[in-house]
Amino acid sequence: MKYIRMCLCAMLAVVLCSAFTLEKKEKPVYVFGVGASFKDSVVYFTEVQLLDSVALDNNGFLPGRVSYAYQMKNYLEYEKNKLDYTCAIYFSESRSKLEKEASKIYKRYEKGNTYVLENIQTSDFSFRKPEE
């Protein structure tokens, strides 16, 4: 009888714990990229884009962020014929925060008139979720 009571208590605890676990709601992830080269004065900026079916990991990082940087690098190499560009990816769950960050970086490059800034439209290039 004591054994059955302990088993029932353990099963009840498992059911209660599983019923009340907090499911993490997936928030949308936004991203934009910057491509710059030490050999060229042109700096490329993508628009802020929404990534489909992507969620940040437990540490708040974008999974596969290196792949997104290489997507932009490959676009610049093959479509724009711009070699030796380094691409950086910025991401956030808040579109407004990311747009503020993008304008801050844009203004930093704009200062001094030493760089030519070019925007890449979403119709020309968009980030895709890397294959797993």
Side-chain angles (χ1 to χ4, degrees):
M1 187 70 167
K2 195 176 206 183
Y3 179 72
I4 293 173
R5 207 180 295 168
M6 286 187 344
C7 287
L8 285 175
C9 287
M11 287 176 46
L12 181 64
V14 168
V15 169
L16 286 176
C17 289
S18 65
F20 293 112
T21 57
L22 297 174
E23 288 187 29
K24 186 177 178 182
K25 285 183 86 178
E26 286 191 19
K27 294 181 182 178
V29 177
Y30 297 94
V31 66
F32 80 93
V34 178
S37 174
F38 292 112
K39 297 179 181 180
D40 197 357
S41 63
V42 180
V43 178
Y44 291 95
F45 284 86
T46 66
E47 295 177 346
V48 174
Q49 301 175 14
L50 173 66
L51 292 178
D52 271 345
S53 64
V54 174
L56 300 183
D57 64 11
N58 293 337
N59 297 324
F61 287 108
L62 179 66
R65 58 191 172 279
V66 174
S67 299
Y68 293 108
Y70 276 115
Q71 287 177 22
M72 185 174 176
K73 182 175 177 58
N74 289 336
Y75 170 78
L76 292 175
E77 285 181 1
Y78 296 116
E79 299 296 324
K80 298 281 190 179
N81 200 22
K82 297 292 186 176
L83 305 175
D84 300 323
Y85 268 72
T86 302
C87 297
I89 302 301
Y90 296 85
F91 57 91
S92 178
E93 291 177 335
S94 169
R95 185 179 183 98
S96 62
K97 285 182 183 178
L98 195 61
E99 286 174 345
K100 286 179 186 177
E101 183 72 23
S103 68
K104 187 167 85 172
I105 293 169
Y106 195 87
K107 287 177 185 175
R108 194 176 299 158
Y109 276 108
E110 201 173 41
K111 190 184 271 187
N113 296 328
T114 56
Y115 297 103
V116 177
L117 305 177
E118 281 196 32
N119 291 322
I120 299 173
Q121 302 299 320
T122 306
S123 58
D124 297 331
F125 170 75
S126 61
F127 294 102
R128 295 176 313 279
K129 182 179 179 180
E131 295 178 14
E132 296 175 0

